[in-house]
Amino acid sequence: MNKNTFTLIDNRDQTEYEYPILGASRGPQAVDMSKFYQESGLFSYDPGFTSTANCSSEITFINGEKGELRYRGHPIEELATKHNYLDVCYLLLHNKLPSKEEKVAFDLELRHRAFLPEGLRNLYDSFPDNAHPMSILSAATTALSTFYYEHLSLETQEDYYVMAHRIIAKIPTIAAFAYRKSIGASYIYPDIDKSFTENFLYMLRAYPGGKLKLTPNGHQEIKDIEIKALDTIFTLHADHEQNASTTVVRSVGSTGAHPYVAISSGISALWGRAHGGANESVIEQLRLIGSVENVEKYIAKAKDPNDPFRLMGFGHRVYKNFDPRAKILKQMQVELSKELNLDSELMQIAQKIESIALSDEYFIERKLYPNIDFYSGVILTSLKIPREMFTPIFVIGRTVGWITQWIESKQNPKAKIVRPRQLYTGE
Ligand code: ACO
């Protein structure tokens, strides 16, 4: 018997089916089931793809049991402490960290590409006041494909990079404009003298004309610690292998759609509160809980099988011990609390939830730990970023991951259209 195969026996008639086991450089190997239906006439049934690898990938590795996350082989802890977000973008896209010269050139290119086609502004005008920035972000990203239609057919590696750098550079501007629209304020254009992350905060906060004023309580100044915190959040969100939104990006990409339309679909998928929308829900929930005294009552609701209430920011499909990104952000929260006035009431409620949940049998048994969203919500609140911008910030960080995954799928000559089957139970 070939040791590198996997045998399935159909107990109805003892037919044996043998499938190759595919090697992995880290983590679980996979059984190549691609011929299963053709040979057996059966489908494999795996709702939510909990046991199914939809592709092979060289980009990001997660070990959920060990709480390990690596981009292109580099541990997230190293990237979050020794590098910045643009280094991480370069690493994901180019499969190597940039040299000094490459770093400067990449930074300048992104600054230069951060501006939006003027025609796109008209689209913003057509949205109602108070439109959620995520809706605008998704629509504007789709609309961007009309200005860069040529990216539908990419030929050289350089073509791919231009397309990718363009969307990474423009997404923060698209997001900042969406926010300005949602509060009825005039748009602030990017400032080429500012770095990627500082520029985003600037576009959110500046007054018309571009001045950042210092208010009596100091809110409008951009502090180094704020840039560092946001840059770390971008880094921690940059990629996360085949999560729901990335799977959507790959699926839409597999049909031959425009890359920016695929990214826009990823934005829509991310919005849900079971995915990227959780960071907004965490803060909503902390506000709903309202005071430390109410925490126990809400923990009981979360544990009640007859109550749909869930603790937002807890649990993860893959991380079953801890979320390494959450660990880094917890440390960042400590740093920030020394330098900024964190909302003490929210912090206390969050800390009480964390301490109860980490020692409660219900959460321990189900391996439910605080995830990245639990801490990012509190950190973004301390940066005075409005709640509706939390998920757009996730989008800014994740765009590089989506586009890198899209490129990998496009450059795989064996890639197929994503087309699962079903177990039909109807009439
Ligand atoms: N609060 C209370 N109970 C929970 C929670 C929670 N946050 N999460 C899971 N559970 C319980 C479920 O009720 C279930 O209990 P049961 O076995 O008694 O029925 C058990 O834990 C397993 O939960 P599933 O939903 O089957 O786990 P799954 O892996 O499918 O879901 C998910 C993961 C969606 C993240 C889930 O934990 C959740 O809804 N969390 C809250 C939302 C959230 O924080 N999302 C952000 C994820 S991170 C990210 O996208 C960046």
Side-chain angles (χ1 to χ4, degrees):
M1 189 193 292
N2 185 345
K3 278 206 167 149
N4 276 327
T5 59
F6 188 85
T7 304
L8 283 172
I9 302 173
D10 184 339
N11 284 329
R12 294 171 302 181
D13 57 8
Q14 301 306 307
T15 314
E16 285 193 10
Y17 301 98
E18 195 171 290
Y19 296 103
I21 294 181
L22 305 176
S25 50
R26 287 178 201 267
Q29 300 182 318
V31 181
D32 179 354
M33 301 288 288
S34 53
K35 297 216 163 53
F36 182 55
Y37 169 60
Q38 194 185 319
E39 292 174 358
S40 70
L42 297 167
F43 292 141
S44 62
Y45 181 67
D46 180 20
F49 303 142
T50 55
S51 300
T52 298
N54 175 39
C55 60
S56 64
S57 179
E58 297 178 353
I59 303 168
T60 291
F61 173 72
I62 301 173
N63 181 330
E65 299 304 322
K66 280 200 196 156
E68 187 183 357
L69 168 62
R70 289 170 185 266
Y71 300 155
R72 300 283 191 190
H74 294 262
I76 193 65
E77 294 77 8
E78 170 204 314
L79 295 170
T81 51
K82 301 200 178 108
H83 295 277
N84 66 16
Y85 176 67
L86 286 200
D87 288 349
V88 165
C89 289
Y90 194 94
L91 170 69
L92 285 166
L93 273 173
H94 297 254
N95 199 6
K96 74 186 226 351
L97 282 163
S99 65
K100 239 179 173 176
E101 296 72 34
E102 286 163 340
K103 196 177 161 96
V104 171
F106 187 53
D107 179 11
L108 290 181
E109 186 188 342
L110 291 202
R111 289 179 197 220
H112 166 74
R113 293 197 187 280
F115 296 83
L116 301 182
E118 271 302 297
L120 201 62
R121 278 189 53 161
N122 299 333
L123 179 78
Y124 281 77
D125 292 339
S126 65
F127 294 120
D129 294 343
N130 306 326
H132 193 288
M134 280 299 282
S135 305
I136 304 181
L137 194 48
S138 167
T141 304
T142 293
L144 203 61
S145 66
T146 65
F147 294 90
Y148 299 103
Y149 189 70
E150 73 270 21
H151 293 335
L152 196 54
S153 42
L154 303 164
E155 280 165 20
T156 65
Q157 191 59 31
E158 197 46 36
D159 290 345
Y160 278 92
Y161 286 144
V162 168
M163 177 280 297
H165 295 178
R166 194 167 256 156
I167 189 74
I168 293 166
K170 292 191 194 312
I171 279 279
T173 314
I174 293 178
F177 275 32
Y179 169 63
R180 307 282 307 196
K181 166 72 190 174
S182 75
I183 58 165
S186 57
Y187 305 116
I188 298 294
Y189 283 57
D191 176 350
I192 47 164
D193 289 330
K194 291 187 168 46
S195 69
F196 183 91
T197 301
E198 182 182 6
N199 212 355
F200 176 66
L201 283 170
Y202 161 78
M203 289 187 284
L204 291 188
R205 292 181 182 178
Y207 288 95
K211 289 233 163 36
L212 280 161
K213 270 201 196 151
L214 205 63
T215 62
N217 50 7
H219 291 171
Q220 298 300 332
E221 184 198 28
I222 300 176
K223 298 188 173 78
D224 287 346
I225 183 86
E226 295 182 297
I227 299 170
K228 185 179 166 202
L230 188 58
D231 200 83
T232 305
I233 286 182
F234 288 154
T235 293
L236 299 179
H237 286 91
D239 196 41
H240 215 225
E241 53 119 304
Q242 309 312 316
N243 55 83
S245 54
T246 302
T247 301
V248 166
V249 170
R250 279 190 181 254
S251 300
V252 175
S254 79
T255 69
H258 192 286
Y260 295 170
V261 171
I263 298 293
S264 169
S265 313
I267 293 172
S268 305
L270 188 81
W271 195 4
R273 63 207 296 258
H275 194 8
N279 53 16
E280 195 178 330
S281 307
V282 167
I283 294 299
E284 268 167 29
Q285 200 167 80
L286 294 179
R287 297 233 155 92
L288 172 81
I289 294 172
S291 76
V292 175
E293 291 74 53
N294 290 336
V295 168
E296 307 243 9
K297 185 173 96 195
Y298 281 95
I299 297 266
K301 272 167 79 62
K303 288 160 56 175
D304 180 353
N306 301 317
D307 190 327
F309 181 85
R310 279 192 170 197
L311 270 192
M312 287 293 120
F314 271 77
H316 197 276
R317 171 61 64 80
V318 180
Y319 295 121
K320 296 298 175 196
N321 260 321
F322 66 92
D323 178 341
R325 305 165 302 170
K327 227 177 182 179
I328 295 166
L329 283 191
K330 191 173 172 178
Q331 182 53 37
M332 174 60 66
Q333 198 170 287
V334 174
E335 266 183 60
L336 273 173
S337 62
K338 286 186 201 143
E339 296 206 32
L340 297 179
N341 286 330
L342 297 192
D343 184 329
S344 55
E345 180 85 59
L346 275 193
M347 288 279 288
Q348 281 170 20
I349 299 171
Q351 277 160 4
K352 179 133 190 220
I353 292 176
E354 189 188 352
S355 75
I356 295 184
L358 289 178
S359 56
D360 188 296
E361 250 336 281
Y362 174 94
F363 292 89
I364 295 170
E365 239 173 48
R366 289 166 181 76
K367 298 181 186 278
L368 300 170
Y369 298 88
N371 58 45
I372 186 169
D373 295 315
F374 187 71
Y375 299 102
S376 65
V378 175
I379 290 180
L380 293 173
T381 304
S382 74
L383 302 186
K384 309 282 178 239
I385 290 179
R387 211 169 60 205
E388 318 77 69
M389 285 306 287
F390 291 4
T391 317
I393 282 172
F394 194 151
V395 169
I396 296 173
R398 182 56 56 83
T399 297
V400 65
W402 286 329
I403 208 66
T404 307
Q405 299 265 354
W406 182 91
I407 292 174
E408 188 181 63
S409 70
K410 284 285 133 186
Q411 295 185 338
N412 174 3
K414 291 191 182 146
K416 282 177 168 296
I417 184 170
V418 177
R419 198 337 182 162
R421 303 304 301 268
Q422 64 173 10
L423 178 66
Y424 179 68
T425 55
E427 284 278 312

